[in-house]
Amino acid sequence: MVSSPHEAMHRIFQEYPGLFSRVSEVLGIDIPPPTSATVLPTDLTETSPVERRVDTLLRIETEHDGPFLLAIEAQGKKDPRKTISWPYYVSYLYNRYGGLPVLLLVVCQDLVTAEWAARPLSIGLRQWQTLTLNPLVAGPHNMPVITNVAEARKDLALATLAAIAHADNPDVGAILKTLSAALREAPENIADPIVELTAQGLGNRPAAQQWRNLVAVDLSFYKSFMSEEIRDEGRAEGRAEGLLLVLEVRGIAVTDEIRTKIADCNDPQRLHQWLQRAATASSAEEVFTEE
Protein backbone atom coordinates (compact mmCIF):
# COMPACT_ATOMS: atom_id res chain seq x y z
CA MET A 1 0.00 0.00 0.00
CA VAL A 2 1.30 3.46 -0.90
CA SER A 3 1.96 5.54 2.24
CA SER A 4 0.72 9.09 2.78
CA PRO A 5 4.25 10.58 2.78
CA HIS A 6 5.01 8.77 -0.49
CA GLU A 7 1.88 10.24 -2.05
CA ALA A 8 2.54 13.77 -0.84
CA MET A 9 6.20 13.85 -1.92
CA HIS A 10 5.31 13.51 -5.57
CA ARG A 11 1.69 14.80 -5.65
CA ILE A 12 2.85 18.26 -4.59
CA PHE A 13 4.44 18.59 -8.04
CA GLN A 14 1.07 17.79 -9.64
CA GLU A 15 -0.55 20.56 -7.57
CA TYR A 16 2.31 22.99 -8.21
CA PRO A 17 4.09 22.00 -11.46
CA GLY A 18 6.21 25.13 -11.39
CA LEU A 19 7.73 23.98 -8.10
CA PHE A 20 10.47 22.07 -9.95
CA SER A 21 11.96 25.33 -11.16
CA ARG A 22 12.67 26.39 -7.56
CA VAL A 23 13.75 22.89 -6.51
CA SER A 24 16.28 22.79 -9.35
CA GLU A 25 17.77 26.04 -8.05
CA VAL A 26 18.12 24.48 -4.59
CA LEU A 27 19.80 21.45 -6.18
CA GLY A 28 22.23 23.69 -8.05
CA ILE A 29 20.98 22.78 -11.53
CA ASP A 30 20.51 25.52 -14.14
CA ILE A 31 17.12 24.65 -15.63
CA PRO A 32 15.08 27.41 -17.31
CA PRO A 33 11.83 28.39 -15.58
CA PRO A 34 8.71 26.82 -17.09
CA THR A 35 6.20 28.72 -19.14
CA SER A 36 3.67 25.91 -18.60
CA ALA A 37 3.47 22.35 -17.32
CA THR A 38 1.14 19.45 -18.11
CA VAL A 39 0.49 16.40 -15.96
CA LEU A 40 0.89 13.30 -18.15
CA PRO A 41 -0.31 9.70 -17.67
CA THR A 42 2.01 7.78 -15.37
CA ASP A 43 1.34 4.32 -16.79
CA LEU A 44 4.47 2.93 -18.47
CA THR A 45 3.01 -0.55 -19.01
CA GLU A 46 3.67 -2.28 -22.34
CA THR A 47 1.72 -5.14 -23.88
CA SER A 48 3.64 -7.55 -21.66
CA PRO A 49 1.91 -8.43 -18.36
CA VAL A 50 4.41 -6.42 -16.27
CA GLU A 51 2.92 -3.14 -15.08
CA ARG A 52 5.25 -0.21 -14.56
CA ARG A 53 4.25 3.21 -13.28
CA VAL A 54 6.22 6.31 -12.42
CA ASP A 55 4.79 8.24 -9.45
CA THR A 56 4.28 11.57 -11.24
CA LEU A 57 5.07 12.62 -14.80
CA LEU A 58 5.08 16.22 -16.02
CA ARG A 59 5.75 17.78 -19.40
CA ILE A 60 7.49 21.08 -18.70
CA GLU A 61 7.51 23.83 -21.31
CA THR A 62 10.25 26.47 -21.27
CA GLU A 63 10.49 29.75 -23.15
CA HIS A 64 13.81 29.25 -24.95
CA ASP A 65 15.04 25.69 -24.34
CA GLY A 66 11.96 23.77 -25.43
CA PRO A 67 10.01 21.12 -23.49
CA PHE A 68 11.28 18.29 -21.31
CA LEU A 69 9.76 15.47 -19.27
CA LEU A 70 10.07 15.35 -15.50
CA ALA A 71 9.55 11.95 -13.88
CA ILE A 72 9.17 12.19 -10.09
CA GLU A 73 9.62 9.26 -7.73
CA ALA A 74 8.92 9.41 -3.98
CA GLN A 75 11.29 7.03 -2.21
CA GLY A 76 10.84 6.06 1.44
CA LYS A 77 13.69 3.54 1.67
CA LYS A 78 16.36 1.77 -0.35
CA ASP A 79 14.90 -0.52 -2.99
CA PRO A 80 17.32 -2.50 -5.18
CA ARG A 81 14.56 -2.99 -7.76
CA LYS A 82 14.74 0.72 -8.61
CA THR A 83 18.21 0.27 -10.10
CA ILE A 84 16.43 -1.69 -12.82
CA SER A 85 13.15 0.22 -13.12
CA TRP A 86 14.47 3.79 -13.11
CA PRO A 87 16.67 3.40 -16.21
CA TYR A 88 13.72 1.67 -17.86
CA TYR A 89 11.41 4.57 -17.04
CA VAL A 90 13.79 7.11 -18.56
CA SER A 91 14.52 5.06 -21.69
CA TYR A 92 10.85 4.25 -22.23
CA LEU A 93 9.76 7.87 -21.83
CA TYR A 94 12.50 9.09 -24.14
CA ASN A 95 11.23 6.65 -26.79
CA ARG A 96 7.51 7.17 -26.18
CA TYR A 97 7.65 10.96 -26.34
CA GLY A 98 9.77 11.25 -29.45
CA GLY A 99 13.15 11.94 -27.96
CA LEU A 100 12.16 14.66 -25.49
CA PRO A 101 14.80 15.17 -22.77
CA VAL A 102 13.93 13.29 -19.59
CA LEU A 103 14.88 14.18 -16.02
CA LEU A 104 14.33 11.92 -13.00
CA LEU A 105 13.74 13.58 -9.63
CA VAL A 106 13.71 11.40 -6.50
CA VAL A 107 12.23 12.92 -3.32
CA CYS A 108 13.29 11.40 0.02
CA GLN A 109 12.75 12.05 3.72
CA ASP A 110 15.91 10.51 5.16
CA LEU A 111 19.60 10.99 4.43
CA VAL A 112 20.46 7.30 3.95
CA THR A 113 17.85 6.86 1.23
CA ALA A 114 18.80 10.17 -0.40
CA GLU A 115 22.47 9.20 -0.60
CA TRP A 116 21.55 5.82 -2.07
CA ALA A 117 19.17 7.35 -4.63
CA ALA A 118 21.79 9.89 -5.77
CA ARG A 119 24.26 7.27 -6.95
CA PRO A 120 24.65 7.07 -10.75
CA LEU A 121 23.04 3.97 -12.24
CA SER A 122 25.11 2.42 -15.03
CA ILE A 123 24.22 -0.24 -17.57
CA GLY A 124 27.03 -1.98 -19.42
CA LEU A 125 30.38 -3.53 -18.67
CA ARG A 126 33.11 -2.38 -16.35
CA GLN A 127 35.19 -1.46 -19.39
CA TRP A 128 32.39 0.50 -21.08
CA GLN A 129 29.13 1.90 -19.73
CA THR A 130 26.40 1.91 -22.37
CA LEU A 131 23.99 4.04 -20.34
CA THR A 132 24.41 6.03 -17.12
CA LEU A 133 21.45 7.54 -15.25
CA ASN A 134 22.04 10.45 -12.86
CA PRO A 135 18.94 11.08 -10.74
CA LEU A 136 18.29 14.44 -9.17
CA VAL A 137 17.56 13.95 -5.46
CA ALA A 138 15.69 16.28 -3.11
CA GLY A 139 15.79 15.44 0.58
CA PRO A 140 16.74 16.59 4.07
CA HIS A 141 20.37 17.04 2.96
CA ASN A 142 19.62 19.82 0.47
CA MET A 143 16.08 21.14 1.01
CA PRO A 144 16.13 24.45 2.93
CA VAL A 145 15.12 24.60 6.59
CA ILE A 146 12.59 27.43 6.44
CA THR A 147 11.85 29.06 9.79
CA ASN A 148 11.27 32.59 8.53
CA VAL A 149 7.62 33.40 7.84
CA ALA A 150 8.36 35.93 5.11
CA GLU A 151 10.58 33.42 3.31
CA ALA A 152 7.91 30.71 3.55
CA ARG A 153 5.23 33.10 2.30
CA LYS A 154 7.29 33.91 -0.82
CA ASP A 155 7.05 30.30 -2.02
CA LEU A 156 4.49 28.22 -0.14
CA ALA A 157 4.91 25.18 -2.40
CA LEU A 158 8.66 25.01 -1.77
CA ALA A 159 8.12 25.63 1.94
CA THR A 160 5.66 22.70 2.00
CA LEU A 161 8.02 20.33 0.19
CA ALA A 162 10.84 21.39 2.50
CA ALA A 163 8.68 20.74 5.58
CA ILE A 164 7.82 17.26 4.29
CA ALA A 165 11.49 16.54 3.54
CA HIS A 166 12.43 17.58 7.08
CA ALA A 167 9.70 15.53 8.79
CA ASP A 168 12.30 13.90 11.06
CA ASN A 169 14.27 17.09 11.73
CA PRO A 170 14.60 17.89 15.46
CA ASP A 171 13.46 21.44 14.63
CA VAL A 172 10.42 20.32 12.66
CA GLY A 173 8.15 22.03 15.18
CA ALA A 174 9.59 25.43 14.27
CA ILE A 175 9.40 24.57 10.56
CA LEU A 176 5.71 23.65 10.81
CA LYS A 177 4.88 26.66 12.97
CA THR A 178 6.48 28.87 10.32
CA LEU A 179 4.46 27.24 7.55
CA SER A 180 1.25 27.57 9.55
CA ALA A 181 1.93 31.26 10.21
CA ALA A 182 2.69 31.82 6.52
CA LEU A 183 -0.74 30.43 5.63
CA ARG A 184 -2.75 32.72 7.88
CA GLU A 185 -3.49 35.28 5.20
CA ALA A 186 -3.56 32.87 2.27
CA PRO A 187 -6.85 32.29 0.40
CA GLU A 188 -8.63 29.01 1.07
CA ASN A 189 -7.92 27.62 -2.40
CA ILE A 190 -4.20 28.03 -1.74
CA ALA A 191 -4.13 27.05 1.92
CA ASP A 192 -6.32 23.94 1.80
CA PRO A 193 -4.12 21.82 -0.53
CA ILE A 194 -1.03 22.77 1.47
CA VAL A 195 -2.64 21.76 4.77
CA GLU A 196 -3.61 18.39 3.31
CA LEU A 197 -0.30 17.74 1.55
CA THR A 198 1.62 18.56 4.72
CA ALA A 199 -0.56 16.21 6.77
CA GLN A 200 -0.05 13.48 4.18
CA GLY A 201 3.67 14.06 3.97
CA LEU A 202 4.22 13.79 7.72
CA GLY A 203 2.43 10.42 7.79
CA ASN A 204 2.36 8.86 11.26
CA ARG A 205 5.46 10.62 12.55
CA PRO A 206 5.27 12.61 15.82
CA ALA A 207 5.46 15.79 13.73
CA ALA A 208 2.06 14.91 12.24
CA GLN A 209 0.39 15.52 15.59
CA GLN A 210 2.21 18.84 15.94
CA TRP A 211 0.79 19.88 12.57
CA ARG A 212 -2.69 18.74 13.54
CA ASN A 213 -2.49 20.75 16.76
CA LEU A 214 -1.41 23.85 14.85
CA VAL A 215 -4.31 23.42 12.44
CA ALA A 216 -6.74 22.81 15.27
CA VAL A 217 -5.98 25.94 17.30
CA ASP A 218 -4.19 28.39 15.02
CA LEU A 219 -6.34 29.03 11.96
CA SER A 220 -9.97 29.37 11.00
CA PHE A 221 -9.88 29.00 7.22
CA TYR A 222 -9.33 25.24 7.00
CA LYS A 223 -12.55 24.09 5.36
CA SER A 224 -11.69 21.00 3.32
CA PHE A 225 -12.71 17.52 4.41
CA MET A 226 -9.26 16.46 5.53
CA SER A 227 -8.59 19.80 7.19
CA GLU A 228 -11.80 19.61 9.20
CA GLU A 229 -10.84 16.08 10.20
CA ILE A 230 -7.41 17.32 11.27
CA ARG A 231 -8.96 20.09 13.36
CA ASP A 232 -11.45 17.71 15.02
CA GLU A 233 -8.65 15.28 15.87
CA GLY A 234 -6.64 18.11 17.38
CA ARG A 235 -9.61 19.17 19.51
CA ALA A 236 -10.16 15.59 20.63
CA GLU A 237 -6.51 15.24 21.58
CA GLY A 238 -6.61 18.43 23.65
CA ARG A 239 -9.83 17.45 25.43
CA ALA A 240 -8.50 13.98 26.21
CA GLU A 241 -5.40 15.46 27.83
CA GLY A 242 -7.55 17.97 29.72
CA LEU A 243 -9.89 15.23 30.98
CA LEU A 244 -7.00 13.17 32.33
CA LEU A 245 -5.61 16.26 34.07
CA VAL A 246 -8.95 17.11 35.72
CA LEU A 247 -9.39 13.53 36.95
CA GLU A 248 -5.89 13.58 38.40
CA VAL A 249 -6.36 16.95 40.13
CA ARG A 250 -9.69 15.87 41.64
CA GLY A 251 -8.17 12.65 42.97
CA ILE A 252 -10.29 10.31 40.85
CA ALA A 253 -8.43 7.07 40.15
CA VAL A 254 -7.71 6.49 36.46
CA THR A 255 -7.46 2.80 35.69
CA ASP A 256 -5.82 1.40 32.56
CA GLU A 257 -9.32 0.64 31.27
CA ILE A 258 -10.41 4.27 31.70
CA ARG A 259 -7.19 5.58 30.14
CA THR A 260 -7.76 3.35 27.10
CA LYS A 261 -11.42 4.43 26.89
CA ILE A 262 -10.34 8.08 26.76
CA ALA A 263 -7.50 7.46 24.30
CA ASP A 264 -9.78 5.51 21.93
CA CYS A 265 -12.50 8.18 21.87
CA ASN A 266 -12.32 10.43 18.80
CA ASP A 267 -15.67 12.11 19.39
CA PRO A 268 -15.02 15.69 20.56
CA GLN A 269 -18.59 16.08 21.83
CA ARG A 270 -18.39 13.00 24.04
CA LEU A 271 -15.01 14.05 25.39
CA HIS A 272 -16.46 17.47 26.17
CA GLN A 273 -19.35 15.81 28.02
CA TRP A 274 -16.96 13.69 30.09
CA LEU A 275 -14.88 16.77 30.84
CA GLN A 276 -17.94 18.64 32.13
CA ARG A 277 -18.90 15.72 34.36
CA ALA A 278 -15.37 15.37 35.69
CA ALA A 279 -15.53 18.90 37.10
CA THR A 280 -18.16 17.86 39.69
CA ALA A 281 -18.05 14.04 39.81
CA SER A 282 -16.79 12.20 42.88
CA SER A 283 -16.03 8.93 41.07
CA ALA A 284 -15.11 7.61 37.65
CA GLU A 285 -18.49 5.94 37.36
CA GLU A 286 -20.22 9.33 37.47
CA VAL A 287 -18.05 10.54 34.60
CA PHE A 288 -18.28 7.60 32.24
CA THR A 289 -21.69 6.04 32.94
CA GLU A 290 -23.76 6.34 29.74
CA GLU A 291 -27.18 7.89 30.14
Side-chain angles (χ1 to χ4, degrees):
M1 180 180 294
V2 175
S3 66
S4 292
H6 177 281
E7 189 76 11
M9 283 192 289
H10 70 85
R11 192 166 70 85
I12 188 172
F13 289 90
Q14 297 178 21
E15 297 285 343
Y16 309 98
L19 173 60
F20 179 66
S21 177
R22 281 93 75 192
V23 172
S24 65
E25 292 178 13
V26 174
L27 301 181
I29 309 298
D30 183 18
I31 294 175
T35 56
S36 66
T38 305
V39 179
L40 300 176
T42 60
D43 191 350
L44 309 184
T45 307
E46 296 184 282
T47 54
S48 61
V50 179
E51 180 179 319
R52 300 178 177 92
R53 289 180 183 272
V54 67
D55 287 333
T56 285
L57 180 62
L58 301 175
R59 177 188 169 111
I60 306 290
E61 302 285 343
T62 64
E63 187 173 359
H64 301 295
D65 291 11
F68 67 91
L69 298 177
L70 176 63
I72 303 163
E73 284 280 279
Q75 198 64 32
K77 61 182 179 180
K78 294 181 181 180
D79 185 351
R81 294 172 298 179
K82 295 299 184 180
T83 60
I84 298 173
S85 59
W86 285 345
Y88 169 83
Y89 293 168
V90 171
S91 299
Y92 177 85
L93 290 170
Y94 183 75
N95 179 68
R96 177 176 176 178
Y97 289 94
L100 281 183
V102 183
L103 292 180
L104 172 66
L105 173 66
V106 184
V107 186
C108 307
Q109 288 179 297
D110 69 275
L111 184 58
V112 172
T113 303
E115 290 177 342
W116 165 81
R119 294 181 305 175
L121 301 176
S122 297
I123 299 174
L125 300 176
R126 176 177 56 83
Q127 299 89 338
W128 187 264
Q129 302 299 323
T130 305
L131 175 66
T132 300
L133 173 64
N134 292 292
L136 290 168
V137 178
H141 63 300
N142 55 16
M143 285 291 97
V145 175
I146 301 176
T147 54
N148 179 278
V149 175
E151 182 183 356
R153 193 172 284 138
K154 286 180 183 177
D155 196 332
L156 290 170
L158 181 62
T160 303
L161 179 65
I164 292 171
H166 289 290
D168 294 318
N169 190 305
D171 295 326
V172 69
I175 296 170
L176 295 176
K177 189 172 183 179
T178 299
L179 180 59
S180 175
L183 290 173
R184 284 177 186 157
E185 298 178 4
E188 289 180 22
N189 63 328
I190 293 176
D192 284 344
I194 288 177
V195 173
E196 297 183 14
L197 282 166
T198 304
Q200 269 193 317
L202 298 174
N204 58 4
R205 292 171 169 82
Q209 189 57 52
Q210 296 182 53
W211 180 245
R212 290 173 183 272
N213 290 341
L214 283 168
V215 171
V217 302
D218 199 25
L219 305 165
S220 61
F221 56 73
Y222 296 121
K223 307 271 190 199
S224 68
F225 174 79
M226 181 181 290
S227 299
E228 286 298 317
E229 180 182 313
I230 290 171
R231 185 163 58 180
D232 286 344
E233 288 183 9
R235 288 172 177 159
E237 179 76 14
R239 286 173 179 166
E241 292 176 359
L243 176 57
L244 288 170
L245 179 62
V246 170
L247 292 172
E248 179 182 347
V249 169
R250 302 203 69 252
I252 298 176
V254 178
T255 64
D256 289 342
E257 182 181 357
I258 290 175
R259 193 174 296 274
T260 300
K261 185 183 184 73
I262 295 173
D264 290 345
C265 181
N266 294 317
D267 183 349
Q269 294 289 18
R270 175 160 293 185
L271 286 168
H272 182 66
Q273 184 182 52
W274 289 344
L275 186 58
Q276 287 181 314
R277 291 177 183 173
T280 57
S282 57
S283 67
E285 288 75 16
E286 293 181 34
V287 177
F288 299 104
T289 298
E290 299 300 334
E291 297 179 354

